[in-house]
Amino acid sequence: MSRQVVRSSKFRHVFGQAVKYDQCYDDIRISQMTWDSNFCSVNPKFVAMIVDASGGGAFMVLPLSKTGRIDMSYPTVCGHTGPVLDIEFCPHNDNIIASGSEDCSVMIWEIPDGGLTSPLTAPVVRLDGHSKRVGILCWHPTAHNVLMSAGCDNVVILWNVARGESVVRIDSVHPDLIYSACWNQDGSQILTTCKDKTMRVLDPRKGTLLLEKEKTHEGSRPVRAVFLSDGKILTTGFSRMSERQVALWDPKNFAEPLCLQELDTGSGVLLPFYDPDTGVVYLCGKGESSIRYFEVTDEAPYVHYLSMYTSKESQKGMGCMPKRGLEVNKCEITRFYKLHERKCEPIVMTVPRKSDLFQEDLYPDTIGPEPSVEADEWFQGKDGQPILISLKDGFTATTKAKEFKVHKSLLKTTSTSAGNQPDNSGEVQSLRKEVKDLKAAIEELTTRMKELESWRESK
């Protein structure tokens, strides 16, 4: 009689737990759009969620501490004229967030430290270049002020946000709708998936095709792909029989996947969240109530199922906290922000440990907020590796001054070098209103004077 050997892993007993009700963000009208983006972005300061808005597009940015019921009149970021489809916080500055919308524009916003006190309508920079709605945004992992956007016009644009201009336009590679786009760890390559069932690896600065794999998954439903830290690629998609699949690919040999697993027959697109520090990937299905997680290793069968977190309510979107925002003394390895119909619920993923000391094996040096290259240098060909930080002594308390400086320099460069971008549109609009009111007052005064003269003549 043979005994089955259970694979040993320190993440085998990872469990997910939703926070208490009073620590959720309640009474928020999450957007009803059917777009397959995360609808949520989070960092150690704020959580942002796309919300329903009448007559345009809006998203809400809340300080992490502002839990409980959110007032209906709480101010939103509402400068778009069409529904917002994707939002993404800048990894190098916690106060900067980008948004893409159905109005074909990308906008960069500055959020004050304590959160919004009035509706925000004037972006720091407005980026116009897409001819159809913009549904995918992704900041460069190591280069400061470099943003990638992909729209329904099948075009990928790389922006120099500090100058408010598009530098690279990739418009001849994708023949159909782009499903996903992401960077590798140092930002030297772009990975995209497309409606033509082809996965492509691109050179971002030249806009040229490096590798492609046709029929990554046989099904016609959307495919998602992410780069792993060792250069391998993990994809989620559907089989010809509409079964959901997860696959691992080696770019050195795209002929066959290293691993292909069929999961279930669900209909929701699986959003992958990869943690490069632990090698764990989390798969969250939109419209479902579960989060599956797998460990990716260097040995066959490569992708090992760990466990599944389930709850009663389905998720409309999901945000993932960067490592530097976690509570390391509680052995928290990931924190998700799950969007319901009317609230946002944090879910904490924990590795059970008896000791409350710092666990070095769970928290190797992780990616910090400091960029290693400036935008101009990167576009000229310079690559930079991520600058790593230690989480041992806590992180957020030591870097407030540095983040504030980065924030100020971004605003300074955008205001001086954004060219003809309407980054001061709020001031212009208020001046136009004043002029209009003044003209109306002059016209009314002229009419009154004419009436007075005619009255005098009649007397």
Side-chain angles (χ1 to χ4, degrees):
M1 182 178 173
S2 63
R3 293 176 61 189
Q4 187 177 5
V5 179
V6 177
R7 191 183 72 88
S8 65
S9 167
K10 56 190 165 194
F11 304 111
R12 204 156 63 86
H13 299 291
V14 169
F15 68 96
Q17 190 170 23
V19 300
K20 293 178 181 176
Y21 185 78
D22 61 347
Q23 291 176 281
C24 296
Y25 307 87
D26 200 22
D27 211 12
I28 299 167
R29 292 177 299 162
I30 302 300
S31 173
Q32 299 294 317
M33 290 291 294
T34 54
W35 190 254
D36 283 327
S37 70
N38 297 349
F39 279 31
C40 180
S41 186
V42 64
N43 66 26
K45 281 187 180 180
F46 302 106
V47 55
M49 298 152 280
I50 302 175
V51 294
D52 265 341
S54 55
F59 61 96
M60 185 176 282
V61 182
L62 300 171
L64 288 186
S65 58
K66 189 172 178 58
T67 53
R69 185 179 175 277
I70 307 301
D71 196 277
M72 289 281 282
S73 61
Y74 192 86
T76 58
V77 182
C78 50
H80 285 286
T81 56
V84 177
L85 299 179
D86 198 13
I87 51 176
E88 184 85 14
F89 273 113
C90 176
H92 308 126
N93 191 320
D94 290 341
N95 296 70
I96 298 296
I97 186 169
S99 60
S101 165
E102 270 197 5
D103 64 11
C104 310
S105 71
V106 178
M107 293 187 184
I108 312 297
W109 307 88
E110 170 233 341
I111 308 298
D113 269 339
L116 297 177
T117 54
S118 60
L120 188 59
T121 57
V124 178
V125 186
R126 179 188 170 106
L127 306 170
D128 289 310
H130 287 282
S131 59
K132 291 186 179 178
R133 57 184 181 175
V134 183
I136 300 170
L137 297 174
C138 194
W139 288 94
H140 195 286
T142 62
H144 195 205
N145 294 338
V146 176
L147 177 69
M148 169 171 61
S149 65
C152 294
D153 50 5
N154 313 336
V155 174
V156 175
I157 299 179
L158 304 187
W159 305 91
N160 183 338
V161 173
R163 297 183 183 278
E165 62 186 18
S166 64
V167 182
V168 179
R169 184 181 178 89
I170 306 171
D171 54 7
S172 59
V173 175
H174 301 93
D176 213 327
L177 181 67
I178 300 167
Y179 283 143
S180 71
C182 70
W183 303 90
N184 64 347
Q185 196 167 25
D186 66 354
S188 60
Q189 293 179 346
I190 289 174
L191 174 65
T192 65
T193 57
C194 183
K195 196 174 181 179
D196 66 353
K197 301 184 186 180
T198 303
M199 175 172 66
R200 296 172 174 88
V201 179
L202 309 172
D203 182 318
R205 284 168 285 225
K206 295 177 183 174
T208 54
L209 186 67
L210 299 175
L211 296 165
E212 68 177 349
K213 169 62 183 171
E214 294 179 0
K215 293 192 176 178
T216 319
H217 294 272
E218 294 283 344
S220 57
R221 300 293 313 284
V223 174
R224 290 298 181 106
V226 289
F227 267 118
L228 306 189
S229 53
D230 59 358
K232 293 188 179 73
I233 295 168
L234 184 127
T235 61
T236 62
F238 294 79
S239 70
R240 194 174 290 161
M241 304 298 290
S242 291
E243 294 169 307
R244 291 196 295 192
Q245 298 175 323
V246 58
L248 186 68
W249 303 85
D250 186 350
K252 295 168 187 170
N253 181 14
F254 264 162
E256 291 293 327
L258 294 173
C259 168
L260 179 67
Q261 293 185 27
E262 292 188 347
L263 302 175
D264 58 18
T265 55
S267 59
V269 176
L270 289 169
L271 307 175
F273 294 90
Y274 173 66
D275 182 355
D277 299 338
T278 59
V280 177
V281 63
Y282 303 84
L283 303 183
C284 311
K286 287 201 80 169
E288 293 175 20
S289 56
S290 62
I291 303 172
R292 290 181 178 82
Y293 33 108
F294 300 78
E295 187 176 3
V296 183
T297 62
D298 295 330
E299 301 168 0
Y302 302 104
V303 180
H304 308 272
Y305 175 75
L306 291 172
S307 188
M308 181 165 62
Y309 166 81
T310 55
S311 59
K312 292 179 182 176
E313 292 186 69
S314 61
Q315 55 233 15
K316 292 181 69 66
M318 193 72 78
C320 185
M321 174 68 79
K323 263 296 172 48
R324 56 195 174 89
L326 303 180
E327 295 187 46
V328 294
N329 58 334
K330 295 182 180 177
C331 295
E332 182 184 3
I333 59 167
T334 310
R335 190 189 311 151
F336 289 108
Y337 284 74
K338 173 180 172 178
L339 302 185
H340 299 253
E341 288 273 349
R342 299 281 300 191
K343 73 173 180 177
C344 173
E345 177 185 49
I347 297 167
V348 176
M349 295 287 180
T350 309
V351 176
R353 293 280 169 96
K354 291 180 180 177
S355 170
D356 58 357
L357 298 174
F358 181 73
Q359 306 292 320
E360 292 192 17
D361 60 327
L362 296 183
Y363 303 104
D365 287 355
T366 190
I367 298 169
E370 198 68 37
S372 53
V373 193
E374 285 299 319
D376 291 333
E377 298 174 318
W378 184 81
F379 281 115
Q380 287 164 12
K382 182 180 177 183
D383 281 322
Q385 291 299 316
I387 297 176
L388 303 181
I389 55 167
S390 171
L391 297 176
K392 187 169 185 178
D393 302 318
F395 176 68
T396 48
T398 62
T399 58
K400 279 184 179 174
K402 190 182 291 184
E403 286 181 3
F404 187 68
K405 280 182 189 172
V406 173
H407 175 54
K408 285 293 182 188
S409 68
L410 173 65
L411 290 181
K412 190 166 64 179
T413 50
T414 47
S415 61
T416 56
S417 59
N420 57 358
Q421 295 298 325
D423 52 308
N424 57 350
S425 57
E427 295 176 26
V428 173
Q429 284 173 6
S430 62
L431 281 170
R432 281 177 180 163
K433 189 175 183 299
E434 285 178 25
V435 170
K436 191 177 177 182
D437 292 345
L438 198 59
K439 282 181 178 176
I442 291 169
E443 284 176 8
E444 188 178 349
L445 195 61
T446 307
T447 308
R448 289 280 177 89
M449 287 178 73
K450 285 179 180 177
E451 288 174 356
L452 190 61
E453 282 176 16
S454 61
W455 178 79
R456 278 177 178 170
E457 287 171 4
S458 66
K459 288 291 182 182

